C-alpha cells in the first residue's frame, strides 16, 4: 500500500476548504458572484461596483464564519432572509437559481459522484442517492443544504442589491448597518442560549492514578474503526469484536469530543485534552502541529516507540509520528491494504504502541449514508480484518503481554454521514479493551470521554502522562490485582528514593 504523497497531503488540505462549512460559504458565494458576472467584467466601472458590493456583504460573511448553525439551529437562518425581503424586497431570481444550481452540481455531482468515483470507486450513479443525503445532512459542512442555502441566498441577494443600488444614501447605509447588527445579535443570542449540547470539559489534569515507570503491558494495539456508529455496530454481525468486548471491558457510554471531526478526535484521543488546549479545532488545520505533548512524546521519554497508521489528514496534527497511507483507493479494498501495511510496520519497527485507523466504514457513511446495508457490511468487514490482524500478531508471538483496544473516533449522523456537532448517532462510540491485564466480562455504564485514551495508554506502557492530559486513566478496566501490585511497587520505589 502506497504512502500518502506530498500532493495528496496538500490536496487533502485544499479539499477541507470546500468540505468545512465555514470556509465553503465565502468561497462558494464569491465564486457564484464571479461566474454570474463574468460577462460584465469588461464593462466600464463594473469591477469597482463588484468589489464595492463584496465589501458591503463582508460583515455578513464574517458573522457566518464565526457562528455555526448546525442541527436545529439551521432552521433559524431563514429569519434573516425573510427580514431582508421585508426590508428591501429586492430579488434577482436568475442569480439565486444560478446559485442553487451550482450548489447542487457541486455537492451532488462533483462531490457525491465524480469525486467519490475517482477516489474510492463509488458508482457513476451515486447522485441518485446522494441528493437525499445532502438534504438530510445536519452538520456544518458544505454538504448541509438546509444550512448553506439560506446563507448564500441572503449573501447573494444583499450583494446584488448593493450592486444595483451602488449610490447609497446615508439612511440606506444606516439601515444596512442596523441589519448586520441585528443579524449578529440574533446569532449571538441563539448560540448563547441554544448551543448547549457540548460535552463537559474535564477541568483538572489526570490524577486518578500516579504515573510510574513500571509498565503493565509490553505492547498496546489500538484499532480505530473510523466513523463506526454505535447502534449500527450493535446491529451488525461482528463475532470477533463481540468476543473482545464480552471477554474484556466495555465502556457503554464512551463520549467523543467536540467538534467530532476526525483530526480533532484523534488529536484529543492521543494528547488527552481538548481543542482549546491542543489547538486542532477542525479538519481544516490552519497551523500545523498540536500545541501540547502527545502519547508519542510520552513514550519517547521512556525510550519506547509509537506508530499511528492513518490518512494524510492526521499528519497535520502528529507530523512524523504518522505512517500515512493513501486514501485514493477503492473502498472495497482500502481496509485490507491498511491491515497489510500494519503487518509490515509491526515487522519492520515493532512499535510498543500501534494505532491503526480503518476508514472504509467512515467513507461508506459519507458516500452512501449510514442507514443502508452497505454501511453495516463495512462494519462486518472490519470485524473480519481486526480478527485477522489479531491472529497474525498472536502467531508472531507479539501478544504475550498486551492490551488490545477497539474504538471509533466518532459516530455518524444521517445524511452524508456527517459528524462534528454531535447529532444523533455521533456522540457515543463503541469502546472496549481486552488483554491479560483487563477485567473480563465487565461493562462500565458511567459516562467517560475519549480524552482518557492517552493517559490510559501511557499508564499501561509505563510512560508519563502527556503534559496536558486531562482524561483519567480507565482503571475500571484494569484487573484489581494488577493495580494493587502496581501501587505497591510505586510505594516501594518512592520509599527507597
Amino acid at each position: 500500500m502506497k504512502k500518502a504523497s506530498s500532493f495528496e497531503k496538500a490536496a487533502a488540505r485544499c479539499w477541507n476548504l470546500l468540505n468545512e462549512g465555514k470556509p465553503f460559504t465565502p468561497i462558494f458565494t464569491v465564486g457564484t458572484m464571479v461566474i454570474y458576472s463574468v460577462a460584465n467584467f469588461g464593462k466600464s466601472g463594473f469591477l469597482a461596483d463588484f468589489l464595492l458590493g463584496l465589501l458591503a456583504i463582508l460583515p455578513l460573511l464574517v458573522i457566518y464564519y464565526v457562528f455555526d448553525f448546525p442541527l436545529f439551529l439551521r432552521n433559524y437562518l431563514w429569519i434573516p432572509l425573510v427580514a431582508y425581503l421585508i426590508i428591501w424586497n429586492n430579488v434577482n431570481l436568475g442569480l439565486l437559481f444560478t446559485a442553487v444550481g451550482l450548489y447542487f452540481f457541486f455537492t451532488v455531482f462533483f462531490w457525491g459522484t465524480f469525486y467519490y468515483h475517482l477516489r474510492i470507486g463509488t458508482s457513476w450513479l451515486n447522485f441518485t442517492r446522494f441528493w437525499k443525503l445532502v438534504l438530510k445532512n445536519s452538520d456544518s459542512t458544505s454538504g448541509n443544504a438546509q444550512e448553506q442555502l439560506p446563507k448564500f441566498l441572503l449573501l447573494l441577494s444583499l450583494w446584488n442589491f448593493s450592486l444595483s443600488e451602488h449610490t447609497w444614501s446615508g439612511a440606506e447605509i444606516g439601515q444596512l448597518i442596523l441589519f448586520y447588527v441585528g443579524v449578529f445579535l440574533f446569532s449571538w443570542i441563539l448560540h448563547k442560549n441554544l448551543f448547549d449540547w457540548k460535552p463537559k470539559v474535564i477541568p483538572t489534569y489526570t490524577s486518578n492514578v500516579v504515573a510510574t515507570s513500571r509498565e503493565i503491558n509490553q505492547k498496546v494495539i489500538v484499532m480505530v474503526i473510523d466513523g463506526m456508529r454505535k447502534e449500527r455496530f450493535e446491529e451488525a454481525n461482528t463475532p470477533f469484536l463481540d468476543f473482545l468486548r464480552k471477554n474484556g471491558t466495555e465502556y457503554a457510554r464512551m463520549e467523543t469530543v467536540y467538534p467530532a471531526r476526525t483530526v480533532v478526535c484523534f488529536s484529543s484521543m492521543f494528547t488527552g485534552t481538548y481543542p482549546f488546549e491542543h489547538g486542532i479545532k477542525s479538519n481544516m488545520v490552519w497551523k500545523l502541529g498540536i500545541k501540547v505533548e502527545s502519547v508519542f512524546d510520552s513514550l519517547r521519554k521512556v525510550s519506547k516507540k509509537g506508530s499511528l497508521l492513518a490518512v494524510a489528514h492526521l499528519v497535520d496534527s502528529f507530523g512524523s509520528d504518522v505512517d500515512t497511507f493513501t486514501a485514493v483507493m477503492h473502498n472495497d479494498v482500502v481496509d485490507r491494504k491498511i491491515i497489510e501495511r500494519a503487518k509490515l510496520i509491526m515487522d519492520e519497527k515493532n512499535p510498543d504502541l500501534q494505532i491503526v485507523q480503518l476508514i472504509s466504514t467512515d467513507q461508506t457513511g459519507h458516500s452512501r449514508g449510514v442507514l443502508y446495508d452497505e454501511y453495516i457490511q463495512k462494519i462486518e468487514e472490519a470485524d473480519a480484518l481486526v480478527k485477522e490482524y489479531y491472529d497474525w500478531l498472536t502467531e508472531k508471538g507479539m501478544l504475550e503481554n498486551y492490551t488490545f483496544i477497539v474504538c471509533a473516533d466518532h459516530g455518524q449522523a444521517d445524511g452524508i454521514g456527517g459528524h462534528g456537532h454531535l447529532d444523533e448517532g455521533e456522540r457515543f462510540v463503541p469502546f472496549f479493551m481486552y488483554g491479560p491485564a483487563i477485567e473480563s466480562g465487565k461493562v462500565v455504564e458511567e459516562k467517560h470521554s475519549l480524552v482518557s485514551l492517552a493517559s490510559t495508554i501511557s499508564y499501561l506502557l509505563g510512560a508519563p502522562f502527556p503534559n496536558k492530559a486531562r482524561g483519567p486513566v480507565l482503571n475500571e478496566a484494569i484487573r484489581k490485582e494488577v493495580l494493587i501490585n502496581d501501587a505497591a511497587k510505586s510505594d516501594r520505589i518512592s520509599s527507597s528514593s
Side-chain angles (χ1 to χ4, degrees), residues 32 39-40 46-47 65 130 152 166 188-189 205 241 263 312 338 362 395 427 484:
T32 301
N40 296 319
F46 180 80
L47 182 58
Y65 190 87
F130 204 80
F152 67 70
H166 54 272
W188 182 82
I189 291 169
Y205 295 113
L241 296 182
V263 184
I338 292 169
D362 182 71
E395 291 170 8
R427 182 180 292 267
I484 292 170

Side-chain angles (χ1 to χ4, degrees), residues 145-413:
Q146 294 185 59
E147 178 176 0
Q148 292 298 330
L149 283 171
K151 281 184 175 181
F152 67 70
L153 290 177
L154 176 57
L155 284 160
L156 290 170
S157 293
L158 275 165
W159 169 74
N160 181 75
F161 179 67
S162 64
L163 195 67
S164 60
E165 302 287 338
H166 54 272
T167 53
W168 288 62
S169 67
E172 288 172 327
I173 293 173
Q175 195 176 40
L176 184 63
I177 292 172
L178 285 175
F179 178 77
Y180 286 146
V181 170
V183 173
F184 172 80
L185 290 174
F186 175 72
S187 302
W188 182 82
I189 291 169
L190 283 178
H191 284 69
K192 182 74 173 177
N193 294 283
L194 299 180
F195 209 91
D196 58 357
W197 59 83
K198 296 181 183 180
K200 291 183 179 179
V201 170
I202 298 171
T204 57
Y205 295 113
T206 304
S207 60
N208 66 320
V209 298
V210 177
T212 71
S213 59
R214 176 188 172 271
E215 66 182 24
I216 291 174
N217 292 138
Q218 294 175 338
K219 198 175 290 294
V220 173
I221 308 294
V222 183
M223 307 297 294
V224 183
I225 304 175
D226 196 314
M228 182 166 64
R229 179 165 165 163
K230 195 172 190 297
E231 62 264 36
R232 297 297 274 163
F233 165 59
E234 299 286 352
E235 297 171 25
N237 179 27
T238 53
F240 183 67
L241 296 182
D242 290 344
F243 168 82
L244 293 180
R245 65 175 179 154
K246 289 175 182 176
N247 291 278
T249 296
E250 177 183 9
Y251 284 80
R253 300 188 70 214
M254 181 61 74
E255 191 173 36
T256 189
V257 296
Y258 179 90
R261 299 271 193 255
T262 295
V263 184
V264 178
C265 293
F266 271 77
S267 299
S268 291
M269 290 160 68
F270 300 113
T271 63
T273 189
Y274 302 92
F276 73 86
E277 204 158 35
H278 61 60
I280 306 299
K281 299 180 179 180
S282 75
N283 280 351
M284 184 66 249
V285 179
W286 298 104
K287 186 176 181 180
L288 301 183
I290 50 176
K291 297 178 180 178
V292 300
E293 289 181 356
S294 71
V295 70
F296 307 108
D297 297 313
S298 296
L299 291 176
R300 278 189 281 270
K301 292 179 181 179
V302 292
S303 302
K304 293 190 175 184
K305 295 179 293 185
S307 167
L308 169 58
L309 178 58
V311 293
H313 292 307
L314 273 300
V315 174
D316 293 353
S317 286
F318 297 106
S320 60
D321 287 316
V322 181
D323 289 296
T324 63
F325 55 76
T326 179
V328 183
M329 187 177 300
H330 200 290
N331 204 37
D332 289 340
V333 301
V334 65
D335 280 358
R336 153 64 54 199
K337 297 290 186 181
I338 292 169
I339 291 296
E340 295 303 323
R341 179 79 185 287
K343 294 176 183 177
L344 183 64
I345 291 170
M346 189 59 77
D347 264 338
E348 292 180 347
K349 299 183 179 181
N350 192 24
D352 304 283
L353 166 67
Q354 186 180 44
I355 304 159
V356 180
Q357 178 194 22
L358 299 178
I359 63 171
S360 186
T361 299
D362 182 71
Q363 291 186 156
T364 298
H366 287 308
S367 61
R368 300 291 289 161
V370 299
L371 301 183
Y372 295 86
D373 291 341
E374 297 103 314
Y375 184 79
I376 291 281
Q377 179 184 339
K378 292 304 174 188
I379 296 175
E380 294 173 351
E381 290 174 4
D383 172 76
L385 289 169
V386 173
K387 181 181 188 304
E388 176 187 317
Y389 191 49
Y390 180 91
D391 291 344
W392 181 86
L393 290 168
T394 303
E395 291 170 8
K396 289 282 186 176
M398 294 180 173
L399 292 184
E400 294 180 0
N401 182 11
Y402 70 98
T403 291
F404 202 86
I405 301 172
V406 178
C407 66
D409 53 339
H410 52 73
Q412 287 189 300

